[in-house]
Each structure stands twice: as C-alpha cells, then as structure tokens.
Amino acid sequence: MAIKSREKVAKSKAKNSIPGINRIAAIQMASGPYVAANLSEAERLIEIAVNMGAKLIALPEYFAIMGIKDTDKVAVREKEGSGPIQRFLAKTAKKHQVWIIGGSVPMESDNPDKVRNACLVYDDKGKQVARYDKIHLFGFEQGQEHYQEKKTIEPGDAVVTVDTPFGKLGLSICYDLRFPELYRAMGDVDIIAVPSAFTETTGKAHWETLIRARAIENLCYVIAPGQGGYHASGRETHGNSMIVDPWGVVQDRLPRGSGVVISSINTAYLKSLRKSLPALKHRKL
C-alpha cells in the first residue's frame, strides 16, 4: 500500500475528527526470528499508520517473533507486565496516544515448555486494558506441511471483549476464525480483531471468505492484520490483511509484504445497518 501524500494525510486526520468516525489500521508484516528487528519494523509501520490518522492500530499474530523452530517463541516468552515486547507496546501506545492491539505475544504458561499465545490491548496512555489467550490451537497435516500448535502452546479458556472509544472490541487470534460460536459468545460487538499468521495453503482457500462471514453474521467491523510473506523457517504466510465493514465489504487490503491497511469505522452506519437488518435480535438458539 502506497504511503499517502501529506495532503491526503491531512484530510484523513480531519475526517477522523468527525464524531462517530474513527480511523483504524491493520499492520502486515513478514516477521523473522529476531525480536529486536521485528519490533523496529513494527515501530516503523505504526508510525506510518499514526501519520495516516489511525487511532486504533492492530499488529499481526507473532509480530515480535516468527522463529526458525516452533520452540523459539518459548525461549522469549514474557511474564505478565514485563519484558521487551510488552514494554514496546506500552511505550509506543503512550508515545503516539493511540490504542494498540498487540496481535499476539508469547507469555508464560504453567508448562515450562509452552507459552500462552496472548493478544494484548493497550490504551492511548500505554496501559494494558485487556488480554486474550488463544483458545483454538491450529493443527494441519498436508503433504510437506505439518503444524501442531498444541506442542508449544497452552490454550486459553476465556472469551474476552473490551470497551474502547471506538466501540466494544472482541478479541480472537488466527485459527479462532473457524469457530463462529466464539464470536457469538462475545455478545454484540462493534469490532472484531483477528490478528493472524494464516498459512498460504489455508489462507488462499478460506481467509477472505471467513473474515467477511464473521463481519456479516455479527454485523460488525473486522480488523484482520496478518503475516504476509516468506519466513526464515521456510513457512509462507498468506497475508491479505484487510478491514471489512458490517455489510461484508472489504474497505482496504494488502495482498503481500509489510505495510499498512487503513479505513474509517462509522458507528452511525453500523447502527443503521443493525436497525435495517436486526438479525442479531432474531437469534433463536
């Protein structure tokens, strides 16, 4: 995605000042095995999003580390409230006075050989206001591709939503996308975040369909930042980060590589759609 001109950035910021309309951004990366380098890249992309007027910025799953081995993330796992990844998220949110969804961070678990794959949310003062631990763990076997997240990740068990200035936000991570009952359990949410590292194989088949379905069936915005490219392990991730509106329309997307996806969210538009099509009130089960 091309970086906007100063004139367009100014217009974006002016639009962002309209009540009920806010700019949100999804960051796409192709993270590697070195935390410091990934954080530097994340900082660069966040600054671009800030200059484009974004007030809520979401990073992808594993933004801080995509290791050569699955166990690499265990070696850099952090305790709650401390560690370079969490310090980066808090400092950056406070510096730019924006809300940041920290896609996923490897956090300590009860098992010394595993992590909790946690999505951390920071407010514009740099305070952590929510944490969601990934519930559904990816497993896939096809040809030369073999993935078993249960070997290195301890699953979470709690559905998490958080109230923000942009509306009620529901948190999920990657493989969770295939389980619509998770999103129903959130209640009525205005935005769903799905930071991901979808494989190219599954992503090209299902990613966009599932993202748009979650937006349509929940009549809400979906912000879906992803990993998009080739990684040191040989893994290829699908990318195609996008922001989708409550009618299922893709507002912006980035097929591959590092960059920023940005769009406005309009709470009045969301409410008008729910009034016109009150499907959420028609649920029977």
Side-chain angles (χ1 to χ4, degrees), residues 223-282:
I223 182 168
Q227 294 283 346
Y230 291 93
H231 305 272
S233 64
R235 179 174 177 174
E236 181 184 5
T237 47
H238 179 62
N240 202 17
S241 296
M242 61 181 68
I243 297 171
V244 180
D245 79 6
W247 202 244
V249 177
V250 178
Q251 298 296 297
D252 195 12
R253 77 166 83 223
L254 178 61
R256 299 283 284 185
S258 295
V260 178
V261 174
I262 193 159
S263 179
S264 294
I265 59 171
N266 186 331
T267 54
Y269 172 66
L270 183 149
K271 290 177 181 178
S272 71
L273 286 179
R274 289 181 173 177
K275 183 177 180 180
S276 298
L277 181 62
L280 297 175
K281 294 181 180 179
H282 293 162

Side-chain angles (χ1 to χ4, degrees), residues 17-150:
S17 66
I18 300 173
I21 296 179
N22 289 284
R23 300 284 273 174
I24 63 174
I27 301 296
Q28 183 162 289
M29 299 176 65
S31 299
Y34 303 109
V35 171
N38 294 324
L39 295 186
S40 178
E41 175 68 352
E43 183 176 23
R44 181 184 74 84
L45 294 168
I46 287 170
E47 287 183 356
I48 292 173
V50 169
N51 288 332
M52 295 167 75
K55 295 299 182 183
L56 173 67
I57 301 169
L59 292 159
E61 183 181 28
Y62 300 131
F63 74 93
I65 182 167
M66 286 283 285
I68 296 174
K69 305 185 301 294
D70 285 344
T71 53
D72 288 351
K73 61 181 175 288
V74 180
V76 300
R77 68 183 193 167
E78 297 185 354
K79 294 181 179 180
E80 178 75 31
S82 66
I85 303 172
Q86 292 171 83
R87 286 196 296 270
F88 165 79
L89 292 169
K91 179 181 177 181
T92 305
K94 183 177 181 180
K95 173 184 176 181
H96 295 295
Q97 297 182 321
V98 296
W99 283 61
I100 293 180
I101 301 171
S104 76
V105 178
M107 302 291 286
E108 281 192 339
S109 76
D110 293 334
N111 186 324
D113 298 320
K114 294 184 178 183
V115 302
R116 287 290 185 112
N117 194 17
C119 180
L120 308 179
V121 180
Y122 291 79
D123 68 13
D124 55 2
K125 296 178 176 60
K127 178 184 176 183
Q128 183 187 314
V129 294
R131 170 179 168 173
Y132 165 73
D133 291 358
K134 187 176 184 180
I135 292 174
H136 301 97
L137 303 184
F138 182 52
F140 182 69
E141 303 284 339
Q142 185 180 89
Q144 298 300 311
E145 291 188 271
H146 305 277
Y147 303 102
Q148 290 295 334
E149 287 190 327
K150 66 182 181 181

